[in-house]
Amino acid sequence: MLPHPVYNFSAGPAVLPDAVLRTAQNEMLDYNGTGFPVMSMSHRSDVFMSILHHADQDLRTLLDIPRNYKILFMQGGASSQFNMVVMNFANGFRRVDSVVTGNWSSVAHKQMGKLSDVEIHLAADGKAYNYLDLPPANTWDTSRHSAFVHFASNETVNGLQYGTLPEPGADMPPLVCDMSSDILSRRINVRNFGVIYAGAQKNIGPAGATVVIIREDLLERCCKRVPDVWNYQAHVGRQGMHNTPATYPIYIAGLVFRWLLAQGGVAQMETVNALKAAKLYAAIDSSGGFYINNIRPDARSKMNVVFSTPSPELDHCFVQKAGNAGLKMLQGYQSVGGMRASLYNAMPLQGVETLIGFMHDFQRRYG
Amino acid sequence: MLPHPVYNFSAGPAVLPDAVLRTAQNEMLDYNGTGFPVMSMSHRSDVFMSILHHADQDLRTLLDIPRNYKILFMQGGASSQFNMVVMNFANGFRRVDSVVTGNWSSVAHKQMGKLSDVEIHLAADGKAYNYLDLPPANTWDTSRHSAFVHFASNETVNGLQYGTLPEPGADMPPLVCDMSSDILSRRINVRNFGVIYAGAQKNIGPAGATVVIIREDLLERCCKRVPDVWNYQAHVGRQGMHNTPATYPIYIAGLVFRWLLAQGGVAQMETVNALKAAKLYAAIDSSGGFYINNIRPDARSKMNVVFSTPSPELDHCFVQKAGNAGLKMLQGYQSVGGMRASLYNAMPLQGVETLIGFMHDFQRRYG
């Protein structure tokens, strides 16, 4: 046993609710009196089909997903969606619009152009703001003749987030959003989106499941030349059972959805997440410049709070000492350095307050 | 509690060793005293990197994988490999040879032609044997100028298996083998293969992980036009950490590898699997025609034993009554009907003997 509670600030795979892990532990060898472990169930068994059905329904409730949207629990992570959205939805189009706001949307921008002849048009680039602010949606150079416009609602590495999510404008094609790191953290209007996708390992569940929410009419664009395993239409046509899905990660995601409903749903998460982020940014901003975050306040992520001290050596020391104090995984992304505290739904307010306390102590000793 | 032990004959996701599930249960909230659940660990943390490293090493030991082969733990299932092997290894080639022996190699044959202009050449088709026997490798119409020849070592749906695995002949390009349903069930000579791939959910672990074993020199064929997420070279170059892998399924696979080593390894599995299959086929063959399996003895699968009774109604009745007696998931594949008993490594001999006892009783009552 460790001397104090451990708080896991990992950006992903990330902290999961204790209650979810305890249920999974209890049900490991026998799910709900069936005599079967979830991991050993055929994906076509009634029991697993029911697990999948409830996960679908609960996610619909949580995000108020309309009936003309399909939900798929796929594999491959958000990275596999970069190319799948192009392969499936840009068929017959000349151009895809792409908004680059930081690390992940930049990777998406580069990857989307592979395997396809469609032009990936840079509709906006946060580079103009040195990635310390986000290009507002009304400045995006989009065309309604493009297949879609791709953007990320939250940049996990850079700590940026669209506080107000873009809404479809007159010159906008359907919005395709990588919501990996802030899905379920706040209320959204799904009707504003053509496609929302998210790797599970931040706010949904364990790595291995990828949630894709698709407006039904877009499925008509899916082309038979696309291999079935990457073809949304093929997956929808077989109720998500085109091939064996990642059954156990889906089961855990379902437990997380149930936990979220019991907590009061996404509205309640939004309130708590706003409070957690406000407290941590206040601690940074009131440190007299010892802790630094230069992102414009409106563009600051409530999920991934990046900050640094005056030197890389001190950053390293901070991460080490914080780890010893039970505040784990606070190092920034490999290519960025500094610190990053990820405050997903399963991070309790207490964890953030403990971190703030540690920051004060650290500044007193080293500041 | 159920009145008798439950045996799970599912073709996949399939039975896992009880000892593995108990370890996973014990470690669910705290892996090895780290204070972290495996599911919440960053894939780049030392602890997870060590889990991955040991899984790699143990799989190498189990299958005697030479150093010039790389192992990847990918996502997407075997179905995603159908296209990945073509995209990565057929670049600059005109032809891929493909051997169709049943359901899954037939699906692979159809899918491989998508997204690519390379000719998918039908090098052999078990249709000539009505899928009751396998075309011997020395009859395959292959060319050493083809990119590779693709085949399945075991047909999960049809119950066929190459008892003696093909060896590379003079006119053969590299062998690419879908070993999803019999990997780790018997000794193999990895050196005979260019690529071996397998969905985890049969003999490796939970659905969501896909093992790919690649002879190093073939990686040079991987082309930059292939998106990184489907590019073997990109994954190998980042030690399997190109994007977040399915960490929990990989952890469970690692536990299965350790369990296999403790059982005496693959050689011991091969002995037990041969015995289990021999007993079950003997029960079928000695039923005076009540239980039917028409596959030529040498081509009968030791992993998936398919059989039927004289009528579909009786088959249905068999599956129901067997289920009530704790012998679960014995229905045949949806498009095939009849019965199928999957005898993967984690199915104990006792389970097969219980099934045989039930078959005798059933025949006495309904035969």
Side-chain angles (χ1 to χ4, degrees):
Chain A
M1 278 301 285
L2 290 160
H4 22 237
V6 169
Y7 293 108
N8 176 5
F9 291 93
S10 170
V15 59
L16 286 163
D18 244 38
V20 163
L21 292 170
R22 283 183 203 284
T23 301
Q25 184 174 44
N26 288 334
E27 296 180 337
M28 178 61 83
L29 283 108
D30 181 359
Y31 174 75
N32 215 5
T34 56
F36 275 72
V38 174
M39 249 184 257
S40 304
M41 274 177 202
S42 167
H43 54 302
R44 296 185 197 279
S45 62
D46 291 342
V47 181
F48 184 74
M49 293 294 273
S50 161
I51 289 173
L52 183 66
H53 174 74
H54 282 100
D56 180 292
Q57 293 302 309
D58 288 346
L59 183 56
R60 271 180 203 280
T61 304
L62 284 164
L63 289 178
D64 185 24
I65 301 174
R67 272 197 279 181
N68 64 324
Y69 284 75
K70 297 288 186 190
I71 302 173
L72 290 173
F73 292 89
M74 305 190 81
Q75 297 184 61
S79 296
S80 66
Q81 300 302 314
F82 302 160
N83 296 92
M84 283 175 60
V85 291
V86 176
M87 276 163 41
N88 282 277
F89 300 132
N91 181 40
F93 289 83
R94 287 199 194 155
R95 189 175 120 175
V96 162
D97 293 323
S98 160
V99 176
V100 172
T101 49
N103 182 82
W104 282 109
S105 57
S106 169
V107 173
H109 182 79
K110 281 173 207 144
Q111 294 296 320
M112 283 195 294
K114 297 195 178 192
L115 270 196
S116 165
D117 293 325
V118 71
E119 179 203 353
I120 309 298
H121 172 71
L122 188 62
D125 192 347
K127 203 176 175 181
Y129 309 96
N130 210 13
Y131 302 116
L132 296 172
D133 198 358
L134 291 161
N138 61 13
T139 68
W140 296 356
D141 176 33
T142 57
S143 158
R144 61 198 160 88
H145 299 299
S146 295
F148 56 83
V149 53
H150 179 274
F151 77 106
S153 53
N154 182 78
E155 285 283 1
T156 329
V157 171
N158 308 71
L160 293 155
Q161 184 180 29
Y162 278 99
T164 305
L165 279 165
E167 297 193 7
D171 274 326
M172 270 197 203
L175 290 168
V176 172
C177 183
D178 179 352
M179 224 175 258
S180 293
S181 45
D182 67 351
I183 193 167
L184 292 168
S185 74
R186 55 173 166 178
R187 287 164 301 163
I188 57 171
N189 185 355
V190 173
R191 289 162 188 81
N192 284 341
F193 297 89
V195 179
I196 293 167
Y197 66 83
Q201 68 271 16
K202 296 157 194 301
N203 246 340
I204 294 175
T210 312
V211 168
V212 192
I213 303 165
I214 307 172
R215 207 178 64 208
E216 233 167 31
D217 61 292
L218 292 171
L219 289 168
E220 288 160 26
R221 296 192 191 172
C222 298
C223 154
K224 289 214 164 148
R225 224 179 114 76
V226 177
D228 286 0
V229 72
W230 300 323
N231 189 313
Y232 298 119
Q233 181 71 276
H235 283 268
V236 167
R238 291 169 212 168
Q239 285 77 46
M241 292 290 164
H242 163 65
N243 65 333
T244 314
T247 52
Y248 198 76
I250 291 172
Y251 155 71
I252 299 288
L255 293 182
V256 171
F257 298 156
R258 243 199 280 158
W259 177 81
L260 283 170
L261 288 168
Q263 303 302 302
V266 169
Q268 174 61 15
M269 287 298 122
E270 183 174 344
T271 305
V272 177
N273 288 331
L275 182 62
K276 290 187 298 188
K279 286 195 172 225
L280 185 49
Y281 283 116
I284 292 166
D285 292 342
S286 65
S287 69
F290 182 73
Y291 296 112
I292 306 154
N293 171 302
N294 288 323
I295 296 168
R296 197 176 65 87
D298 281 4
R300 281 172 162 180
S301 172
K302 293 185 173 67
M303 292 288 101
N304 312 99
V305 178
V306 298
F307 59 102
S308 56
T309 67
S311 81
E313 293 71 29
L314 213 48
D315 291 347
H316 184 74
C317 176
F318 182 100
V319 170
Q320 293 304 311
K321 303 254 178 219
N324 296 340
L327 302 161
K328 303 286 189 186
M329 300 301 298
L330 278 164
Q331 63 272 28
Y333 191 68
Q334 43 186 356
S335 62
V336 173
M339 278 77 75
R340 173 173 52 175
S342 295
L343 313 182
Y344 303 125
N345 289 339
M347 172 58 63
L349 181 59
Q350 180 70 41
V352 179
E353 285 168 346
T354 307
L355 170 59
I356 292 169
F358 175 83
M359 288 166 71
H360 288 149
D361 289 349
F362 186 84
Q363 185 173 2
R364 262 196 296 277
R365 285 183 65 184
Y366 297 93
Chain B
M1 277 301 287
L2 289 159
H4 23 240
V6 169
Y7 293 107
N8 176 5
F9 291 94
S10 169
V15 58
L16 285 163
D18 244 37
V20 163
L21 292 170
R22 281 182 205 285
T23 302
Q25 185 174 43
N26 288 333
E27 296 180 338
M28 178 62 82
L29 283 109
D30 182 359
Y31 173 75
N32 215 6
T34 56
F36 276 71
V38 174
M39 248 184 258
S40 304
M41 275 177 202
S42 166
H43 54 302
R44 295 184 198 280
S45 62
D46 292 343
V47 181
F48 183 76
M49 293 294 273
S50 162
I51 289 173
L52 183 65
H53 175 74
H54 282 101
D56 180 292
Q57 293 301 308
D58 288 345
L59 183 57
R60 272 181 202 280
T61 304
L62 284 164
L63 289 178
D64 186 23
I65 300 174
R67 272 196 278 179
N68 65 322
Y69 284 75
K70 297 289 186 189
I71 302 173
L72 291 172
F73 292 90
M74 306 190 81
Q75 297 185 60
S79 296
S80 66
Q81 299 302 313
F82 302 159
N83 296 91
M84 284 176 61
V85 291
V86 175
M87 276 162 41
N88 282 276
F89 300 131
N91 180 40
F93 289 83
R94 288 198 192 153
R95 189 174 121 175
V96 162
D97 294 322
S98 161
V99 176
V100 172
T101 49
N103 181 80
W104 282 107
S105 57
S106 170
V107 172
H109 182 79
K110 279 174 209 144
Q111 294 296 318
M112 284 194 293
K114 297 196 180 191
L115 270 196
S116 165
D117 294 325
V118 70
E119 177 202 353
I120 310 297
H121 171 71
L122 188 62
D125 191 347
K127 203 177 175 181
Y129 310 97
N130 210 11
Y131 301 116
L132 296 172
D133 198 357
L134 291 162
N138 62 12
T139 68
W140 295 356
D141 176 33
T142 57
S143 158
R144 62 199 161 88
H145 300 298
S146 295
F148 56 82
V149 52
H150 179 274
F151 77 105
S153 52
N154 182 80
E155 286 283 1
T156 328
V157 171
N158 309 71
L160 292 156
Q161 185 181 29
Y162 276 100
T164 305
L165 279 165
E167 298 192 7
D171 275 326
M172 270 197 202
L175 291 168
V176 172
C177 183
D178 178 353
M179 225 175 258
S180 293
S181 45
D182 66 352
I183 194 168
L184 293 167
S185 73
R186 56 173 166 177
R187 287 164 302 165
I188 57 170
N189 185 354
V190 172
R191 290 162 188 82
N192 284 340
F193 297 88
V195 179
I196 293 168
Y197 66 83
Q201 68 272 17
K202 295 157 195 299
N203 246 340
I204 295 174
T210 312
V211 168
V212 192
I213 303 164
I214 307 173
R215 208 177 64 208
E216 233 167 30
D217 61 291
L218 292 170
L219 289 168
E220 287 160 27
R221 295 191 190 171
C222 298
C223 156
K224 289 211 166 150
R225 224 179 114 77
V226 177
D228 286 0
V229 72
W230 300 323
N231 189 313
Y232 298 120
Q233 182 70 276
H235 284 268
V236 167
R238 291 170 210 167
Q239 285 76 48
M241 290 291 162
H242 164 65
N243 65 333
T244 314
T247 52
Y248 199 76
I250 291 172
Y251 155 72
I252 299 288
L255 293 181
V256 171
F257 298 157
R258 243 200 281 158
W259 177 82
L260 282 170
L261 288 168
Q263 303 302 304
V266 170
Q268 175 62 16
M269 287 297 122
E270 183 174 341
T271 305
V272 176
N273 288 331
L275 182 63
K276 290 187 296 189
K279 286 194 174 223
L280 185 49
Y281 283 117
I284 292 166
D285 293 342
S286 66
S287 69
F290 181 72
Y291 296 114
I292 306 154
N293 172 301
N294 287 324
I295 297 168
R296 197 175 67 85
D298 280 4
R300 280 172 163 180
S301 171
K302 293 185 173 66
M303 292 288 100
N304 312 99
V305 177
V306 298
F307 59 101
S308 56
T309 68
S311 81
E313 293 72 28
L314 213 49
D315 290 348
H316 184 75
C317 175
F318 182 99
V319 170
Q320 294 303 313
K321 303 253 177 224
N324 296 341
L327 302 161
K328 303 285 188 185
M329 299 301 297
L330 278 163
Q331 62 274 29
Y333 191 68
Q334 45 188 353
S335 62
V336 173
M339 276 79 73
R340 171 172 55 172
S342 295
L343 312 182
Y344 302 126
N345 289 338
M347 172 59 64
L349 181 59
Q350 181 70 43
V352 179
E353 285 167 346
T354 307
L355 170 59
I356 292 169
F358 174 85
M359 287 166 73
H360 289 149
D361 289 349
F362 187 85
Q363 184 174 2
R364 261 196 299 277
R365 283 183 65 185
Y366 298 92

